Amino acid sequence: MITEQGTDERRVPAVLAAMASWSWRLIVIGVVIYFTAQILVHLSFVALPLAIALLLTALLYPVTRQFLRFGMRPIWATWSTMLLAFAVIVGLGVIIGTRANDEFPRLVTQVQKTAREVETWLLTGPFHLQKAQLTGLVDELARQADAQRAAITTTLLSTAARFVEALAAIVLLLFVTFFLLKDGDKIWSWFLRAFGSTAPRVDRAGRAAWVTLSQYIHGTVVVAAIHGLVIGIVLFGMGVPLWAPLAVLIFLASFIPIVGIFFAGGLAALVTLGAKGIVYALVFVGILVIEQQLENHVLQPLIVGRAVQFHPLAIILVLAVGGILGGIAGAAIAVPIAAVLYRALPALRAAPPELLPPPPHEPQPPPPGAGAAAPAEPAELADAVAPEPSGAVPAAGPARRTGEDVSAQRSG
């Protein structure tokens, strides 16, 4: 029977056996990932605020640390950080709202003027369209909008429900951010207790993940601020209405790599087209493309550094998975989560660093008063010149080599 079993095993090629081993392991890993994703989807009301709270904590923690260095208690340092962030957000909102209220009527007037110019160009330009064709096109658009009125109403109602859910998620996000800023080290210590002897590995991986997350969020904020500032100056120089809200929109969209800038830049280009015409719109698109290339090849490598080293194809796939699972918020946090996992897993698998060998024992200094005595002779020379008397037990010291018998019989 043993011979037959060995014969059957030899009939299976080694490559096929290795592929079978890898296949069932990959199946198990895929099942775990699938069910984990399903759990996160069902718990998205908690998972997304928690992920965004971690990003905000990584962004705001340097401010809290600075308050702590000033001697403030953790509770007051955390409150000061939260109030400062809230003041910045409210200030930006007031400025943007005021600018939008002042410039929106002018934008409507300029869009109407541009629409008339486009209509004139379509009638007298190379297309030579008829007035009736344009009227029929406008009427068709109006009929389509009227036919979709019920769907639009349903969408507005569902949007109201989503708005309430978003408010609840924001409250949860603020609570989580507050306690992470205040008691983050205590929470992490409590979390490590569940891992027992593997706690050092988990702690090493967690610290690597936190450093990566901090580098990513701080670098992304700086790059997004430069991006929004440059585009805002360009729009202001062109005299485009709503330049301040568009600059803030581009700043926020820069947190979603590749996809966000296409959306925000396209909207800004449409506003420029409606307000200033086709020439200004083309100039703006050219500046946007150049600035985007400078960001990708200069700002990102210099500022963000090596926190994220993903190929653009990998970023697109990560964004797609995050968008499918969590919508816009999922796409925004997909890349930092992938970067954290990419840096934390090697630290989790790595062996602990080897301890340095202890330093060699230094010879003890001679006792006081021994300096006047004659210098001691080597052990072998002392044994040869002055042998110990028979029957005496030698004193402890370097006179005998390790492992020798120091009994009285040996000395005789």
Side-chain angles (χ1 to χ4, degrees):
M1 183 177 295
I2 296 176
T3 305
E4 293 179 357
Q5 184 178 0
T7 304
D8 293 339
E9 290 180 353
R10 285 195 297 269
R11 290 175 181 174
V12 178
V15 176
L16 183 59
M19 292 177 61
S21 300
W22 277 101
S23 297
W24 73 261
R25 288 178 173 87
L26 291 176
I27 290 173
V28 172
I29 294 174
V31 170
V32 172
I33 293 176
Y34 173 77
F35 281 103
T36 302
Q38 293 299 316
I39 292 173
L40 291 178
V41 169
H42 288 291
L43 297 179
S44 59
F45 181 79
V46 178
L48 284 178
L50 179 60
I52 298 175
L54 286 173
L55 294 176
L56 289 178
T57 303
L59 177 63
L60 298 177
Y61 182 71
V63 181
T64 305
R65 183 173 54 194
Q66 196 65 33
F67 283 133
L68 291 174
R69 289 178 179 176
F70 291 156
M72 299 179 65
R73 296 177 58 187
I75 181 67
W76 298 117
T78 305
W79 273 114
S80 300
T81 303
M82 299 290 288
L83 292 177
L84 180 61
F86 183 75
V88 171
I89 294 174
V90 171
L92 288 177
V94 170
I95 294 175
I96 292 172
T98 303
R99 298 292 303 177
N101 187 43
D102 295 339
E103 296 179 355
F104 189 76
R106 185 163 65 93
L107 175 62
V108 173
T109 303
Q110 290 182 349
V111 169
Q112 291 175 349
K113 179 182 177 181
T114 303
R116 289 193 296 269
E117 292 176 353
V118 170
E119 180 181 357
T120 303
W121 179 77
L122 290 175
L123 292 175
T124 60
F127 294 100
H128 295 287
L129 296 179
Q130 300 296 324
K131 185 71 173 180
Q133 293 176 331
L134 291 178
T135 304
L137 180 60
V138 173
D139 293 341
E140 180 63 24
L141 293 176
R143 283 194 298 269
Q144 292 293 333
D146 186 68
Q148 298 296 327
R149 183 180 301 173
I152 294 173
T153 304
T154 305
T155 303
L156 290 177
L157 292 177
S158 62
T159 303
R162 291 297 181 91
F163 180 74
V164 175
E165 293 179 359
L167 287 180
I170 290 174
V171 173
L172 178 61
L173 183 152
L174 293 177
F175 270 101
V176 174
T177 304
F178 178 85
F179 286 108
L180 287 179
L181 288 173
K182 178 179 176 293
D183 300 323
D185 52 348
K186 298 178 182 179
I187 295 173
W188 181 245
S189 300
W190 172 83
F191 178 75
L192 288 177
R193 295 176 187 172
F195 294 93
S197 60
T198 60
R201 285 178 178 268
V202 178
D203 182 57
R204 186 170 63 247
R207 294 181 184 278
W210 181 254
V211 170
T212 301
L213 184 63
S214 300
Q215 291 177 351
Y216 174 82
I217 191 65
H218 293 151
T220 303
V221 168
V222 173
V223 172
I226 295 175
H227 199 36
L229 180 63
V230 170
I231 298 301
I233 292 175
V234 171
L235 293 174
F236 176 77
M238 290 183 176
V240 178
L242 303 179
W243 62 270
L246 291 174
V248 174
L249 179 62
I250 289 175
F251 167 76
L252 296 176
S254 298
F255 287 92
I256 305 178
I258 300 176
V259 177
I261 192 60
F262 279 106
F263 169 75
L267 182 59
L270 288 177
V271 174
T272 305
L273 175 63
K276 305 298 293 184
I278 185 66
V279 176
Y280 281 90
L282 292 176
V283 171
F284 173 77
V285 170
I287 295 175
L288 181 65
V289 170
I290 295 174
E291 199 273 339
Q292 181 67 17
Q293 293 300 315
L294 290 176
E295 175 189 341
N296 292 336
H297 296 90
V298 178
L299 294 180
Q300 286 284 353
L302 290 179
I303 298 178
V304 180
R306 298 183 178 180
V308 180
Q309 288 184 340
F310 287 163
H311 193 273
L313 178 59
I315 294 178
I316 289 293
L317 294 177
V318 169
L319 288 173
V321 173
I324 292 173
L325 295 179
I328 297 177
I333 65 175
V335 175
I337 289 177
V340 164
L341 294 177
Y342 182 72
R343 294 296 180 185
L345 290 179
L348 185 64
R349 296 196 312 264
E354 297 181 358
L355 297 178
L356 295 176
H361 294 287
E362 297 181 358
Q364 297 293 332
E377 298 177 347
E380 293 79 8
L381 183 59
D383 289 341
V385 175
E388 296 172 351
S390 177
V393 179
R400 295 289 181 182
R401 289 186 295 272
T402 304
E404 280 191 318
D405 188 2
V406 292
S407 64
Q409 291 80 3
R410 177 75 167 86
S411 62

